[in-house]
Amino acid sequence: MALVNIKEMLEKARREKYCVGAFDASTIEMAMKIVEAAEEKRSPVILMGLTPDLQQGNGAMLDYWLYCLRKMAEDATVPVCLHLDHATDMDFLKKCVDAGFTSVMYDASVNTLEENIRLSKEAVDYAHAHGVTVEAELGHVGDGIVSGEVKEDGDYDNPDDYLTDPEEMKRFIEETGVDCLAVAVGTSHGVYVHEPKLHFDRLDTLNAISDIPMVMHGGSGTPDDQIKKAVEKGICKLNIYSEMLSAYYGELKKKLESSGTLAIWVVKANEKPLEALKEVVKEKIDLCGSAGKA
Ligand SMILES: [Zn+2]
C-alpha cells in the first residue's frame, strides 16, 4: 500500500509545512524499528540505504536489502519511501534505480558547479525514465567538524565556507530537473565537536527561490530549536544516522559489559539497543512535525 517516491511525499510536506525524517537503515532489524516508530506516530518516513552497506557480498546485499525493505514498505500502514543516500558512483546509482529504489541521491557537491549540474542531470535523466525521483546537493555538507580536521592553528574545516549560493541554486534547479535539493546552511555530518550555528537568513533566501523541497543533512546533534526553525523555513527532509548509532551502540556496550558471557543470543543482545534506536526515531519524528500526517 505504502511504497511511494519522494516527490509526492515531500510536496505534501512542503504545502503543509512539516518535514519528513529520513533514517539510514544499515540492517533489516533497524529498518523494522524505523517503520514501527513511524507507524506508532502515524508519520510518513524515508528509509535510506548506504552504499557501503548495500555493496556487501560483492553487491548481493543490494538485492537482499531491497527485497526485504520493499516488502516492509508495502506492508506498512504509513507511506514509506526507499531512498539511496549519498551515491557518488553513477554506475552504482543506476544499478540501484534498476533494482527497485523509489528515490536516489546523487551527491556531486564536491565538484565544480558545471560538473555538479552535468552529473546531477545525468542521474535525473536516468532515474526519471524509470519513475524514480532524485535528490542532489548544492553547496557542500562536509564531515568537517566531525572527523577532526583540526589544523595546526586550532581551526577546523568550517561548514560556513561551503554554504549554498542562491544564484547558483536557481540555475541548478532549472538545468538539472532534480526533485529535491540538499542545501548547506551550517550543518555537518557525524558527531559535532562544536555546536552548529545555522544560517537562517540564507535559508529564507533559498526557500524563496526554490520551487522544490529542500533537504537538511547532518541532522544528528543539531539542537532541537534550530531544527524546528529550519523546518519552519522550508526544510522538508531531515537526514539522521549518527544519533541512532550512538543510542544503539551505547545500549549494546552496556549489555555486553554487564553480561557474564558473550554467548548471548543476537536477538537478546539487540533488544535494548534497537529500542533505544527506535526512541531516537520517534523523537525526530516529533521534531519534524510529521506525526499524524500519514
Ligand atoms: Zn548526508
Side-chain angles (χ1 to χ4, degrees):
M1 162 245 169
L3 186 59
V4 300
N5 71 30
I6 220 164
K7 192 178 162 80
E8 54 182 295
M9 186 180 270
L10 295 190
E11 281 182 350
K12 180 174 185 290
R14 194 171 197 219
R15 275 196 311 276
E16 298 179 21
K17 290 193 185 306
Y18 61 88
C19 173
V20 181
F23 306 93
D24 290 299
S26 289
T27 67
I28 307 303
E29 290 87 345
M30 286 170 70
M32 286 171 75
K33 286 292 159 189
I34 297 165
V35 172
E36 265 179 41
E39 287 182 327
E40 283 172 28
K41 290 284 179 188
R42 304 306 309 150
S43 169
V45 72
I46 298 165
L47 291 176
M48 300 194 295
L50 285 164
T51 300
D53 294 328
L54 300 169
Q55 285 182 334
Q56 293 176 91
N58 279 330
M61 185 60 89
L62 171 62
D63 285 336
Y64 303 152
W65 192 95
L66 275 170
Y67 185 82
C68 294
L69 269 70
R70 278 186 73 98
K71 166 82 176 141
M72 214 183 283
E74 282 160 8
D75 290 350
T77 59
V78 296
V80 179
C81 173
L82 297 180
H83 180 78
L84 174 67
D85 197 11
H86 277 290
T88 50
D89 173 341
M90 189 66 75
D91 289 338
F92 185 66
L93 175 131
K94 290 177 179 174
K95 227 181 196 173
C96 288
V97 168
D98 294 343
F101 271 95
T102 49
S103 183
V104 291
M105 176 191 190
Y106 193 74
D107 179 2
S109 64
V110 294
N111 295 280
T112 61
L113 176 65
E114 302 299 328
E115 193 63 357
N116 191 354
I117 289 175
R118 188 185 70 77
L119 289 164
S120 299
K121 185 166 186 328
E122 185 180 341
V124 168
D125 288 344
Y126 190 84
H128 280 187
H130 294 77
V132 171
T133 46
V134 178
E135 173 185 341
E137 180 168 317
L138 182 65
H140 181 60
V141 181
D143 301 322
I145 46 184
V146 181
S147 53
E149 288 285 333
V150 181
K151 295 166 192 153
E152 277 174 8
D153 56 5
D155 204 1
Y156 54 86
D157 216 4
N158 192 335
D160 296 354
D161 296 340
Y162 307 98
L163 299 183
T164 305
D165 179 272
E167 279 308 308
E168 290 185 2
M169 182 198 217
K170 200 169 183 312
R171 185 179 155 205
F172 188 90
I173 293 171
E174 278 169 12
E175 293 186 17
T176 60
V178 291
D179 302 285
C180 60
L181 185 64
V183 293
V185 288
T187 56
S188 285
H189 291 112
V191 179
Y192 289 107
V193 292
H194 298 272
E195 188 170 294
K197 283 257 174 298
L198 267 58
H199 296 259
F200 293 111
D201 290 352
R202 179 67 62 100
L203 197 51
D204 276 333
T205 309
L206 297 175
N207 193 35
I209 291 170
S210 179
D211 53 4
I212 57 172
M214 295 189 297
V215 178
M216 178 172 282
H217 287 236
S220 287
T222 303
D224 289 359
D225 59 327
Q226 295 202 41
I227 286 181
K228 273 192 178 153
K229 203 167 165 186
V231 173
E232 280 165 24
K233 291 178 180 295
I235 292 296
C236 300
K237 170 176 177 268
L238 180 71
N239 281 29
I240 301 287
Y241 188 43
S242 300
E243 263 187 81
M244 291 157 59
L245 294 182
S246 300
Y248 177 85
Y249 287 125
E251 284 299 326
L252 188 60
K253 192 162 178 262
K254 272 194 243 166
K255 175 72 183 176
L256 296 179
E257 282 173 353
S258 66
S259 174
T261 170
L262 288 182
I264 315 166
W265 283 7
V266 172
V267 69
K268 282 282 168 208
N270 262 332
E271 205 173 338
K272 278 193 176 171
L274 287 170
E275 279 309 311
L277 178 148
K278 181 177 165 182
E279 271 315 301
V280 172
V281 174
K282 287 169 83 170
E283 283 165 19
K284 297 301 174 190
I285 286 174
D286 283 337
L287 199 54
C288 285
S290 65
K293 301 289 187 182

